[in-house]
Amino acid sequence: MNPCEHKVQYYETDGMGIVHHSNYIRWFEEARVDLLDFLLGRGGFVYDRIEAEGYSGPVLEVACQYKTMSRFGETVRIEATITQYNGVRMTLHYDVFDKATGEVRCTGDSRHCFINSDGHPAILRRCWPEFDAALASHVTAEK
């Protein structure tokens, strides 16, 4: 899978001309959506199908460790990997790099669970085995 790339927009910066810290979390989401599109698309699915099938994956927790600053006009590369998955919960790790220099901008993690349209936990192995298999096959070692 190709990493997600994002060109830093002016509106994402603060009064010091650097990216406001909250935007990195948004970039994590962009990379997560790209990863799921890649995984689900290979199995004949699209990301929107998760919700169409009656499921969602809300965020339980997110953490970000800021290393260096991103600035307007730069392009960043966001790599997302699934580090844990048990059929109901999933943890992803993110590495954000400056595309031109390779310098690490930040790292982070997010935890999610899968729920059905009634808000109850969804055990994907039982209710959506194809999606479960796609996620399980892409778990990498924890970072």
Side-chain angles (χ1 to χ4, degrees), residues 33-138:
V33 169
D34 276 3
L35 176 61
L36 292 177
D37 277 346
F38 170 77
L39 295 178
L40 297 177
R42 291 182 348 146
F45 304 102
V46 295
Y47 184 75
D48 294 341
R49 184 166 174 204
I50 295 171
E51 291 181 356
E53 292 286 333
Y55 304 104
S56 61
V59 176
L60 299 173
E61 180 180 335
V62 66
C64 186
Q65 298 79 43
Y66 305 98
K67 308 291 186 184
T68 60
M69 298 175 279
S70 296
R71 299 182 184 280
F72 170 66
E74 293 179 347
T75 298
V76 293
R77 186 179 81 245
I78 310 129
E79 297 177 2
T81 55
I82 301 169
T83 57
Q84 294 180 336
Y85 173 70
N86 69 4
V88 177
R89 291 184 184 222
M90 173 176 68
T91 302
L92 290 100
H93 178 80
Y94 308 90
D95 291 303
V96 179
F97 302 93
D98 177 87
K99 182 181 176 186
T101 67
E103 186 175 27
V104 176
R105 296 294 187 222
C106 74
T107 62
D109 298 280
S110 64
R111 287 186 335 114
H112 307 262
C113 67
F114 291 98
I115 58 174
N116 63 25
S117 57
D118 294 329
H120 296 106
I123 301 170
L124 296 179
R125 275 188 293 274
R126 292 186 204 148
C127 58
W128 198 357
E130 298 89 357
F131 186 28
D132 175 73
L135 294 172
S137 70
H138 281 80

